[in-house]
């Protein structure tokens, strides 16, 4: 109830006029900022590896672009009014950059480079790996297979020349794949988009900052958000925390809080060692933005994490020797799949009406500039059909490809719901890797290998990034940008179509800003010691070799854990449905299972602070403290992301002592 009152208190943005005649100018500006973001990513993530700026939600380059436009736009109004931007135009450019600058990230395009080139390079460098059994099944249209081309990628070339001729077809192929994959993700989103946005009126906490920061100029000068002393107080607190860590990076003897506090040192003796890992992660952005989430979600996250630790302790006391127990991520996947079922069940009447609209179109969609059901169906057919065709042509068995894509789409849908309702700003907040592993541990590797043999498994390994990467989490970014358009005035239907252009530009920019430094300096010579994800590539291809002679049977403990996660989520859902005031929320359990180790402490902090404020101060003053918490998050984004991220591009050693990962 308190959360609903807070939502009502948020300002209704004044919609500014969006002129289609200025679209070429906006796209050119978006392209220029995307290129700068690509260069920034190359320096900070590939060469220096001091900050994973594209892991952030929103991506730090996009946030930097927004801040730059906010600062420069008043000057442009004075010097050249025709080049100045309206509020909706600023946020359109921002939305474009949230997509385009995120594509080359470590869990996306960079992972593709690792998965496709690793076996070709190490077939020669380490013949004992037996990758000669793998490489014949890697399609030439996905990666250059000439060893000299890949060797130069890993070692560098004296002339730093990129062998563009060899990469032309693979770049075109992957551009096509990311385009159809994006279309598929957008299609499944648009089926539910209107219900979630209009009928359930989800909160979209991550839109609070761009909306408030770009409010129309008040008579006092700056928008109210930038004049709020509580916002600057929160900003200063987060900035002080980062400043201590920055000073420590230059002067290691200087005391600093660091990024976490490890409690595992107190639980080294059995049976309490079962509680390891147990870490207090300091995440200002999660705490600040999490302040807007429902209290019951924050409670359920740390409560569920405590249950996982109790499970681990009981298992140790009983003498169970099961690697990976209590299988929290497997429970997380079960929770995600159960949540997907709940989402479809809750929307059953809406989906029935949506299906009827396919036969009898409603002009209401067109009047509101929304994606129509027929258009959504076209996106789904093109996207899902295109991805399946791509996977099958690459060598994956059709049955395996269909199951894999289905799991990926369901996980993307649930993650999108979590972002829109809860606002947790983390791209990894899903049971990563599990929607691939569940296929292997449920059916056993012998049965999966029987679907196409080494050829199919090789394709399965190449597309590991669909499960272990986070490209499908950008579905939430798409939803937020659609909502942003309805709030500030740029056309949602136009945005959905132009977002495909953002994906294409992001892929092309990503290839350029990866291949150039790799051929100049050599991937193995950078701090990463290879291309991000090479450890996963090694495990994936080595596993295929192992499965040929030593197949793994179905893993029943993991199957049981997955089912248990689904049952507990349905139980939390039933409790919430029958007792709306209960402190339990199914999304909280899904979050804890997905990434509980990292988020339990920030969410515990959110719950304690918010509980005390609402209980002893009241809803009115809770609303007043929201700018403080947003400033707390913003301070981390700007100091650790924008300023430290830009400063780190110089490549000095101190920047590597304070690595900032937003994932």
């Amino acid at each position: 109830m308190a959360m609903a009152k807070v939502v009502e208190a948020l300002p209704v943005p004044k919609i500014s006029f969006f002129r289609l005649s200025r679209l070429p100018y906006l796209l050119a500006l978006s392209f220029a900022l995307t290129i700068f973001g690509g260069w920034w990513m190359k320096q900070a993530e590939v060469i220096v590896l001091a900050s994973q700026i594209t892991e952030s939600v929103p991506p730090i380059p996009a946030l930097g672009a927004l801040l730059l436009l906010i600062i420069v736009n008043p000057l442009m109004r004075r010097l050249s009014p025709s080049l100045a931007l309206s509020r909706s135009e600023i946020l359109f450019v921002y939305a474009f950059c949230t997509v385009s600058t995120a594509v080359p990230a470590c869990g996306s395009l960079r992972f593709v480079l690792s998965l496709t080139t690793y076996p070709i390079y190490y077939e020669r460098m380490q013949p004992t790996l037996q990758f000669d059994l793998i490489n014949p099944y890697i399609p030439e249209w996905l990666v250059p297979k000439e060893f000299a081309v890949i060797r130069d990628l890993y070692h560098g070339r004296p002339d730093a020349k990129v062998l563009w001729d060899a990469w032309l077809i693979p770049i075109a192929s992957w551009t096509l794949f990311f385009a159809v994959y994006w279309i598929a993700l957008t299609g499944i989103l648009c089926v539910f988009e209107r219900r979630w946005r209009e009928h359930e009126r989800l909160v979209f906490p991550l839109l609070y900052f761009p909306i408030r920061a770009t409010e129309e100029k008040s008579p006092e000068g700056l928008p109210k958000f930038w004049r709020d002393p509580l916002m600057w107080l929160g900003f200063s607190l987060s900035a002080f925390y980062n400043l201590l860590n920055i000073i420590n990076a230059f002067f290691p003897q200087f005391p600093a809080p660091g990024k976490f506090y490890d409690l595992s040192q107190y639980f080294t003796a059995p049976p309490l060692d079962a509680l390891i890992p147990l870490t207090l992660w300091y995440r200002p952005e999660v705490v600040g933005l999490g302040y807007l989430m429902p209290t019951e979600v924050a409670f359920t996250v740390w409560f569920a994490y405590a249950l996982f630790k109790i499970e681990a302790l009981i298992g140790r006391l009983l003498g169970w020797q099961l690697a990976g127990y209590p299988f929290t991520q497997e429970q997380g996947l079960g929770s995600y799949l159960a949540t997907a079922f709940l989402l479809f069940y809750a929307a059953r009447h809406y989906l029935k009406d949506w299906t009827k609209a396919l036969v009898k179109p409603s002009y209401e969609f067109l009047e509101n500039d929304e994606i129509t059901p027929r258009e959504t169906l076209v996106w789904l057919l093109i996207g899902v059909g295109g991805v399946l065709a791509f996977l099958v042509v690459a060598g994956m068995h059709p049955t395996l490809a269909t199951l894999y894509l289905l799991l990926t789409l369901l996980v993307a849908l649930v993650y999108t719901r979590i972002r829109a309702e809860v606002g947790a700003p983390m791209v990894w907040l899903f049971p990563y890797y599990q929607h691939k592993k569940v296929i292997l541990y449920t059916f056993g590797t012998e049965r999966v290998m029987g679907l196409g043999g080494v050829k199919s498994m090789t394709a399965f390994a190449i597309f590991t990034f669909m499960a272990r990467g986070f490209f499908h989490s950008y579905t939430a970014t798409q939803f937020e940008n659609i909502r942003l358009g309805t709030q500030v005035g740029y056309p949602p239907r136009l945005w959905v179509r132009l977002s495909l252009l953002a994906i294409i530009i992001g892929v092309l920019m990503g290839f350029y800003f990866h291949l150039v430094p790799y051929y100049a300096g050599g991937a193995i010579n950078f701090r990463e010691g290879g291309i991000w994800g090479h450890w996963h590539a090694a495990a994936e291809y080595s596993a295929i070799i192992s499965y040929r002679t030593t197949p793994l049977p179905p893993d029943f403990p993991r199957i049981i854990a997955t089912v248990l996660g689904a049952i507990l989520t349905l139980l939390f859902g039933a409790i919430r449905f029958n007792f709306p005031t209960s402190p339990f929320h199914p999304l909280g359990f899904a979050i804890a299972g997905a990434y509980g180790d990292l988020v339990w402490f920030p969410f515990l902090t959110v719950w304690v602070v918010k509980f005390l404020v609402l209980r002893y101060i009241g809803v009115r003053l809770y609303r007043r403290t929201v700018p403080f918490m947003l400033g707390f998050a913003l301070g981390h984004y700007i100091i650790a992301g924008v300023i430290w991220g830009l400063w780190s591009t110089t490549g000095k050693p101190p920047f590597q002592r304070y690595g900032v990962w937003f994932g």
Side-chain angles (χ1 to χ4, degrees):
M1 180 64 68
M3 192 62 198
K5 294 180 180 178
V6 172
V7 174
E8 291 173 5
L10 295 179
V12 177
K14 180 181 178 181
I15 295 180
S16 55
F17 189 60
F18 188 88
R19 291 174 289 173
L20 292 178
S21 61
R22 286 170 57 84
L23 191 57
Y25 170 57
L26 298 179
L27 291 176
L29 186 57
S30 301
F31 177 75
L33 291 171
T34 296
I35 296 301
F36 175 75
W39 173 86
W40 188 359
M41 175 275 303
K42 179 198 72 170
Q43 294 296 121
E45 297 185 4
V46 177
I47 296 178
V48 181
L49 191 59
S51 178
Q52 296 283 19
I53 56 175
T54 54
E55 269 190 332
S56 171
V57 179
I60 293 300
L63 181 62
L66 177 62
L67 294 173
L68 178 65
L69 293 177
I70 291 174
I71 294 171
V72 172
N73 203 49
L75 183 63
M76 297 303 297
R77 283 199 181 101
R78 291 188 179 93
L79 300 179
S80 181
S82 63
L83 296 179
L85 302 175
S86 68
R87 184 192 192 196
S88 63
E89 291 173 338
I90 289 176
L91 290 174
F92 175 86
V93 174
Y94 165 74
F96 193 98
C97 291
T98 60
V99 175
S100 61
T101 61
V103 174
C106 59
S108 187
L109 185 62
R110 196 174 313 144
F111 200 5
V112 170
L113 283 170
S114 179
L115 290 165
T116 53
T117 61
Y118 186 89
I120 299 172
Y121 175 71
Y122 282 98
E123 178 190 353
R124 293 279 191 93
M125 304 306 294
Q126 296 184 21
T128 56
L129 293 175
Q130 296 182 287
F131 286 166
D132 57 308
L133 301 175
I134 297 288
N135 288 338
Y137 300 108
I138 298 178
E140 294 183 352
W141 46 276
L142 290 182
V143 62
K145 297 186 66 175
E146 184 180 346
F147 175 71
V149 176
I150 304 303
R151 178 200 62 207
D152 291 346
L153 180 77
Y154 278 79
H155 292 181
R157 289 173 57 91
D159 60 1
K161 179 182 178 182
V162 179
L163 304 176
W164 292 113
D165 291 345
W167 281 97
L168 185 61
I169 292 178
I171 290 174
S173 299
W174 284 113
T175 302
L176 176 62
F177 174 79
F178 277 103
V180 294
Y181 192 19
W182 180 252
I183 291 173
L185 293 169
T186 300
I188 189 68
L189 163 65
C190 286
V191 173
F192 288 86
E193 181 267 332
R194 192 182 189 206
R195 171 181 168 79
W196 290 353
R197 177 170 52 84
E198 293 187 2
H199 299 184
E200 298 188 39
R201 302 182 66 83
L202 298 185
V203 182
F204 296 90
L206 297 185
L207 294 183
Y208 195 104
F209 169 69
I211 288 177
R212 291 297 300 266
T214 57
E215 285 178 327
E216 297 298 336
K217 186 176 180 181
S218 64
E220 293 84 357
L222 290 172
K224 182 179 179 181
F225 177 80
W226 297 108
R227 294 181 289 107
D228 194 322
L230 282 180
M231 189 281 288
W232 286 111
L233 181 61
F235 185 101
S236 300
L237 182 62
S238 182
F240 179 70
Y241 157 75
N242 280 285
L243 182 61
L244 294 176
N245 288 329
I246 289 172
I247 295 174
N248 176 264
F250 286 94
F251 306 100
Q253 69 276 14
F254 187 86
K259 296 183 290 185
F260 61 87
Y261 183 77
D262 190 2
L263 296 175
S264 301
Q265 58 186 312
Y266 303 111
F267 304 101
T268 56
L272 294 181
D273 61 339
L275 300 178
I276 298 174
L278 191 61
T279 307
L280 308 180
W281 286 93
Y282 312 141
R283 298 300 296 263
E285 78 281 20
V286 177
V287 173
L289 292 171
Y291 196 62
L292 294 172
M293 74 172 60
T295 308
E296 55 269 23
V297 174
F299 172 82
T300 308
V301 169
W302 70 262
F303 179 83
Y305 186 74
L307 288 180
F308 294 148
K309 292 303 178 182
I310 293 173
E311 290 176 14
L313 186 60
I314 292 174
R316 179 59 54 87
L317 291 171
L318 295 177
W320 294 350
Q321 300 294 325
L322 299 173
Y325 180 83
F327 312 116
T328 55
Q329 280 214 309
E330 286 82 354
Q331 293 188 58
L333 178 66
S335 179
Y336 256 66
L337 296 179
T339 303
F341 167 78
L342 292 174
L343 293 177
F344 275 92
Y345 181 77
R348 61 193 184 280
H349 300 302
Y350 167 82
L351 293 175
K352 183 178 179 181
D353 294 337
W354 186 89
T355 304
K356 290 180 180 178
L358 293 173
V359 180
K360 188 177 180 181
S362 171
Y363 290 101
E364 185 179 356
F365 289 94
L366 296 177
E367 291 173 357
N368 297 327
D369 199 49
E370 299 174 3
I371 305 298
T372 66
R374 286 188 176 182
E375 189 173 353
T376 298
L377 181 61
V378 171
W379 279 70
L380 273 174
L381 292 176
I382 294 175
V384 172
V387 173
L388 286 177
F390 207 96
L391 297 178
V392 172
V393 173
M396 198 180 301
H397 190 277
T399 301
L400 182 59
T402 302
L403 180 57
Y404 190 34
L405 179 59
L406 174 62
L407 290 171
T408 302
L409 293 177
L410 291 177
V411 168
L413 187 67
V414 175
Y415 173 85
T416 301
R417 173 67 185 222
I418 289 175
R419 274 262 293 270
E421 182 171 345
V422 176
M426 299 178 66
V427 291
W428 292 110
L429 206 61
F430 62 92
Y432 51 83
Y433 224 155
Q434 295 306 314
H435 34 306
K436 177 177 182 179
K437 288 184 175 181
V438 67
I439 299 173
L440 297 174
Y441 69 66
T442 300
F443 298 103
T445 60
E446 185 174 13
R447 182 172 294 182
V448 178
M449 283 280 285
L451 297 174
V454 175
K455 179 180 180 180
S456 180
M457 290 297 290
T458 299
F460 202 19
I462 290 173
F463 289 91
T464 295
F465 73 92
M466 292 176 63
R468 184 55 182 86
F470 51 68
F471 181 85
H472 58 300
S473 70
Y474 298 152
T475 313
T477 303
Q478 179 75 311
F479 192 17
E480 288 159 357
N481 288 338
I482 291 173
R483 177 56 173 164
L484 192 60
T486 64
Q487 287 284 93
V488 300
Y490 64 76
R493 293 182 75 211
L494 176 65
W495 160 252
V496 168
R497 294 164 183 171
L498 289 177
S499 68
L500 185 58
L501 178 61
I503 290 293
I504 293 172
I505 290 176
V507 173
L508 297 177
M509 175 269 288
F511 270 108
Y512 178 83
F513 283 115
H514 281 95
L515 295 182
V516 167
Y518 287 152
Y519 275 101
I524 62 173
N525 297 322
F526 292 125
R527 190 184 177 198
E528 193 85 67
I531 304 174
W532 190 96
H534 58 84
W535 53 93
H536 291 304
E540 286 292 327
Y541 294 112
S542 296
I544 296 174
I545 302 300
S546 175
Y547 295 155
R548 295 173 62 252
T549 57
T550 313
L552 300 178
D555 192 331
F556 289 104
R558 281 181 165 78
I559 295 173
I560 293 172
T562 305
V563 174
L564 177 62
I567 292 174
L568 289 175
T569 300
L570 294 175
L571 177 62
F572 282 133
I575 292 174
R576 180 160 179 79
F577 179 79
N578 291 285
F579 305 97
T581 59
S582 76
F584 300 109
H585 197 295
L587 292 184
F589 185 82
I591 292 171
Y595 214 169
D597 287 332
L598 193 74
V599 302
W600 75 270
F601 180 63
F603 281 18
L604 173 61
T605 304
V606 166
W607 178 77
V608 170
V609 173
K610 190 170 180 180
F611 175 81
L612 293 175
V613 169
L614 289 174
R615 186 68 175 269
Y616 297 106
I617 300 180
V619 173
R620 182 173 175 273
L621 287 179
Y622 164 74
R623 295 173 185 163
R624 188 67 192 94
T625 59
V626 167
F628 172 84
M629 299 302 285
L630 289 175
F632 189 61
L634 184 62
H636 186 64
Y637 280 129
I638 292 180
I639 303 300
V642 177
I643 296 177
W644 185 247
L646 280 172
W647 200 5
S648 69
T649 60
T650 60
K652 305 297 182 182
F655 298 107
Q656 297 177 344
R657 298 193 193 111
Y658 180 38
V660 181
W661 316 137
F662 290 94

